[in-house]
Amino acid sequence: MSEKTGSVLVVGGGIAGVQTSLDLAESGFKVYLVERKPSIGGVMAQLDKTFPTNDCSMCILSPKLVEAARHPMISMLTLSEVMAVEGEAGNFTVTLKKHPRYVREDRCVGCGLCAEKCPSKVSSEYEVGMSQRKAIYVPYAQAVPMKYAIDADRCLWLTKQRCGNCKKVCPADAIDYEQKEVIEKLNVGAVVLTPGFQVFDATRKREYGYGDFKNVVTSLEFERILSATGPYQGHVVRPSDHKTPKKVAFIQCVGSRDEKVGNPYCSSVCCMYALKQAIIAQEHTHGLEPTIFFMDIRAFGKEFEDYRARAENEYGIKMYRGSRVASVDENPESKDLTLRFSSGASEVSSADFDLVVLSVGLEAPASAKELSDRLGIKLNEFGFCHTGVYTPLETSRKGIYVSGAFSSPKDIPTTVAEASGAASKAGAHVFMNRISIDDVIKDVPEDDVKGQEPRIGAFICDCGINIKGTVDVPSVVEYVKTLPNVVYAEENKYTCSADTQELIKKKIKEHKLNRVVVASCTPRTHEALFQSTIKEAGLNMFLFEMANIRDQCSWIHMNEPEKATAKAKDLVRMAVAKSRFLEPLSKSRLGVTPSAIVVGGGLAGLTAALDMAQQDFHVDLVERTGELGGRLNKLFTPEEGKSPKDYIKGLIAQVKASDKITLMMNSEIEDVAGFVGNYKVKVKTPEGTKELDTGAIVVAVGSEEYVPKEYMYGQDKNVVTMNELEDKLAHGHFSSKKVVMVQCVGSRNKEAPYCSRVCCSKALKNAIEIKKKHPETEVYILHKDIRSYGFREALYRQAGELGVKFVRFDEGKDPVLGKVGEHFEVIVEDTVLGSPLLLRPDLVVLSTGTRPNPDNEHLAKLLKVPLSKDGFFLEAHMKLRPNDFATNGVFLAGIAHWPKFIDETIAQASGAAARAMTIISKEFLETQGIIAAVNDDVCDGCGVCEPVCEYRAITIVGTGVPDKLKAVINEGLCMGCGTCVAACPSGALEQKGFKTSQILAQIDAALEGGAK
Amino acid sequence: MSSQQMAQAEPKPAEAGQFEPRILVFCCNWCSYAGADLAGVSRLQMPTNFRVIRTMCSARVDPEFVLRAFASGADGVLVLGCHPADCHYIGGNYRTRRRIALLRVLLEQYGFNPDRLKLEWVSASEGQKFQKTIKEFDAMIRDIGVNPINEE
């Protein structure tokens, strides 16, 4: 086995595993993506919408799944599990067990006839048991790979040698009952674990009646109920009688923050998903009244607090704050439910509901223990993968990394940021063995078809009986033969099968075809396959067109065979008409500068720079001040035995020692020109302006700490910020007897309506530090919610145990600080007692919020990237692209994006480095084929197109002729949407592959005969 | 639901001689075309009288395309795109929304019933909405009647 491996193993095919795989593959590494289930997608594939943008989950996920499945650098190994990992970082030997699918992947075309005829019904895992699937199945309609699998325990043939229907009906002869388990060995340089999580088993909370009462459902079940593809087609109905509920209760913290069930931690995501589900349910069903029963609302993420406010104020979702709901009882006749919960200090109230949703928490995946044993990695006290605050992506074994919910419960954007981060860490073990994509895909020389009369070959697919069962395929073939320029047409049982690909190539040669039309299923899944086939035959891949006569014809007109056949003919005629106008397109290759610029020398910037330097890339690090380390320089209280200040000192030393990193202190970005892979950046330094060429830019400029104007800060030396308290504690300047900490100073108010995320946990950490060093000192924390999410909930518990007192005040009723003589007086309206509380501390500590840098706007303009409404940098997509900007080649990390903890910042910084390395590791970048183009003869430079482009790919430039301007497309930036083309008033713009002439030909063909 | 059960739910074929509208549907690649595919995967039955043209983004739909379709005898044109904020190309669908609104005004000025042109959002998971949109649009066009160009 080779010691020079450029391969990485990724274990788990949810969004984390898919992101890690894509980032590694795009950086030139071979990836083995191992998934236990028959298909990838994970829990995200089950979700209806995602907070806080209410994006359709499947819409944003499935392009990534398809991309991973198609990627030439990714081998997807489904139904597989890791049995052992031997060796060491850089050279692991992985033992893999591949379970039989009993369906040959190379033959199965996903037609589904087998499942239709299968008599054995099994409860569907994807629908969380709310509907049934067959023993031969794909987990969900959009599954990747779209290959059926047999559930061996439920198959009549495999259990009793009876039935055999699937084998009888499979038109592709794909069923193979004889498949056996296979053991495989792989050589990889690093491993990334992304097995995700499992949801809490709600039957363990007996008092809520889940499993006994039909109308008590878990949040994952409710997610399926909300989904248009779910058991009730997206109608919100209750399971008992399929009636629309009016009053719906959401019970929070089911299996979270609950010592009794062994899960003392907070699951981090349930508050937000409950708000989302309440909003979506109400959008589905007018008049629905959701009530959320919660302890604290933990809306700490980017724009989460706005989302919460909208839920309450615009949607009128009732929020009931209190202790945990005590019990749920069912009315045996109506199946309505009664909740009992405490109200006020000691009273018990009850309320009736039609449906109850249990917001179940996240637990370590079932496979955690097994993975720990087989791979020799440590789990933490909660059963999740052990990581550290300064090593958030590292397991206890060198060369094995983790991302996503396996290391702690977390939301999708945090998971995706980590997933990219883990790719960076894993890449560091294999970077010396990068593979160029040219070594994987061998290019065939292209025939020049310019000037040739179109010679169109059409391949019409039966798709077994999927098309042929409805559409008279032979008559379509005969019809197609009569169309102008069609020189060849034939019927295929499966046009997508491997043998048909060879046949297509043969026919291209035989009949000198210079256009190919396939009439079968959807281009979304199959266009790439046929394009690569014709490419192998020497045709330009863009000389291809598809007609969708299955998904959009035979399947939706099953009982009108004649009309469906006529429609299929029309659809093929339209495709042929367009294909006549197709032109060979080239993807130009643009060289790449193999280095990056990191803007900002704090934790995020230093981490990103080091990650890239570790993989041998040059980095220019631009820091505005004269000091590296940013805000960590002011954090002294140890975390996991080490103070942030000490940690950053070590990091600074590493950066200074690196010969790959050029430090530019007291420097600022002055100008940015160019585009992805080829930026030219001017940096103003004390020695004058320097011009740098760079492939990618990472924005890690951090943020500012709010300087309080309130609470006598700056007037009285005994009013300090939390950072100043850390300084006092660390340097022996602390001697107070009674400390009052005030939370949300400069957060969650009119001026800054967002939550600064870290202040609650930071207050807890320092309260504990005080109590440990000075047990006699009294500590009060005045707060709105305690948002110690994830495992930081342990701090909340520990602080309480050490005697720290918590006083909750309401929004808009901030505590009042006064001074009587030498003494402070703090008056706070205690919401639990319902009366004002007077405290006389000798030290007041303000938990100050985070503010975006005031000059973010300037940098954003230079980089042509947007800011969020709160003034932080706005990423390309809030859910799935937390490290990217919409501008290609510019990336984002750290508090510049949103307030976050040290571990989160490190993970995101590594993530931004990984994303940047997907660019700078390439020798060249390929432009999209279907980009916009300008006809210089027609363009008069009016400029309408310029502001229309979301990617700023168009600039209006002079032509040399006075007063004559023209538009120029930057091919590196154009994404090929065609928006500008439709906006162009003179017809000077065109979209290649979707030219006006091509689309008009389709329109004319669709309405052939013209006006009747 | 089996395919047979599905089939029972499908609309009755139009009676002979009855006006059969010709409908052109523009679908964006990322959401609506995927939604149309999902309708197929879910075997949702619907009228046969529409033809889909795929563009990468609904914002590629040039007003010229719509006018050409009506001039060539289309009785109705549907433009389907991603829901607001879901656009694969950031904000293409917002431009589509403005363009279609203007185009409807223009159609009215030409003496065309503007309801012959409709914009709708269909996401990749809304196979049912695709079906519903097609059915409702078909019914509406049947009400409005034949494209006046075809009557001459």
Side-chain angles (χ1 to χ4, degrees), chain A residues 24-171:
Chain A
L24 283 164
E26 282 297 308
S27 302
F29 304 118
K30 167 84 192 154
V31 179
Y32 297 100
L33 173 57
V34 172
E35 168 61 49
R36 285 183 145 214
K37 299 207 172 109
S39 63
I40 58 171
V43 178
M44 190 176 172
Q46 287 176 282
L47 305 182
D48 174 43
K49 300 268 168 32
T50 57
F51 62 81
T53 51
N54 291 357
D55 266 312
C56 152
S57 189
M58 188 55 81
C59 303
I60 56 178
L61 175 66
S62 75
K64 287 219 181 216
L65 301 182
V66 172
E67 197 187 340
R70 267 192 206 149
H71 204 291
M73 301 286 270
I74 301 176
S75 292
M76 211 162 70
L77 304 160
T78 48
L79 288 163
S80 299
E81 59 180 315
V82 177
M83 302 308 290
V85 175
E86 290 150 306
E88 56 188 40
N91 192 13
F92 287 120
T93 301
V94 178
T95 308
L96 212 62
K97 189 194 271 179
K98 242 181 125 28
H99 296 279
R101 183 180 280 272
Y102 302 108
V103 176
R104 285 184 54 171
E105 282 192 47
D106 58 335
R107 289 192 182 167
C108 176
V109 293
C111 72
L113 281 176
C114 50
E116 211 171 288
K117 299 293 178 211
C118 174
S120 174
K121 287 182 179 170
V122 186
S123 139
S124 159
E125 296 86 352
Y126 179 74
E127 299 294 355
V128 211
M130 288 187 293
S131 58
Q132 292 187 311
R133 61 164 171 86
K134 298 295 185 65
I136 186 163
Y137 71 112
V138 285
Y140 55 101
Q142 304 88 342
V144 173
M146 185 40 87
K147 306 285 175 191
Y148 278 74
I150 296 180
D151 189 332
D153 297 338
R154 307 302 293 267
C155 168
L156 292 175
W157 183 268
L158 292 170
T159 52
K160 299 175 189 152
Q161 303 280 298
R162 288 198 335 237
C163 182
N165 278 359
C166 51
K167 195 170 174 66
K168 279 177 227 151
V169 300
C170 177

Side-chain angles (χ1 to χ4, degrees), chain A residues 48-49 53-56 58-59 62-63 111-112 116 141-142 227-229 233-235 466 521-524 527 545 548 550-552 554-560 563-564 566-567 570-571 574 578 886 930 947-951 975-984 990-991 994-996 999-1004 1006-1012, chain B residues 1 3 6-8 10-14 20 22-24 26-27 29-57 59-66 68-75 85-86 88-92 94-95 99 123-128 130 149-152:
Chain A
D48 174 43
K49 300 268 168 32
T53 51
N54 291 357
D55 266 312
C56 152
M58 188 55 81
C59 303
S62 75
C111 72
E116 211 171 288
Q142 304 88 342
S227 173
T229 60
Q233 290 82 46
H235 300 294
N466 280 292
C521 49
T522 170
R524 288 175 48 256
E527 189 178 50
E545 187 60 25
N548 186 339
R550 187 188 73 175
D551 305 46
Q552 297 187 11
S554 67
W555 275 353
I556 56 172
H557 310 306
M558 294 174 76
N559 298 288
E560 293 176 275
K563 285 188 172 184
K567 180 168 184 171
D570 284 3
L571 293 173
M574 289 161 68
K578 183 179 179 187
I930 52 166
V948 165
C949 179
E950 296 278 1
Y951 304 94
M975 300 300 287
C977 62
T979 305
C980 58
V981 186
C984 177
E990 270 298 3
Q991 184 185 6
F994 290 87
K995 285 178 86 162
T996 300
I999 296 174
L1000 289 177
Q1002 270 178 300
I1003 296 171
D1004 291 347
L1007 300 161
E1008 194 152 90
K1012 274 186 210 158
Chain B
M1 219 191 289
S3 51
M6 287 278 187
Q8 282 162 5
E10 64 113 13
K12 281 184 198 158
E20 187 64 25
R22 294 200 294 171
I23 294 168
L24 211 58
F26 291 96
C27 286
N29 182 63
W30 303 98
C31 289
S32 309
Y33 197 87
D37 282 345
L38 181 61
V41 171
S42 319
R43 308 298 197 274
L44 304 175
Q45 303 301 297
M46 61 193 89
T48 58
N49 56 358
F50 69 95
R51 307 287 178 263
V52 170
I53 292 178
R54 179 175 68 107
T55 57
M56 294 310 285
C57 180
R60 174 64 185 96
V61 178
D62 197 314
E64 184 187 354
F65 300 165
V66 176
R68 175 75 153 250
F70 285 127
S72 303
D75 298 296
D86 281 8
H88 187 82
Y89 300 105
I90 307 173
Y94 294 124
R95 300 193 191 281
R99 281 179 195 152
S123 82
S125 63
E126 291 178 328
Q128 291 212 327
F130 182 81
I149 287 175
N150 293 347
E151 278 180 332
E152 285 156 18

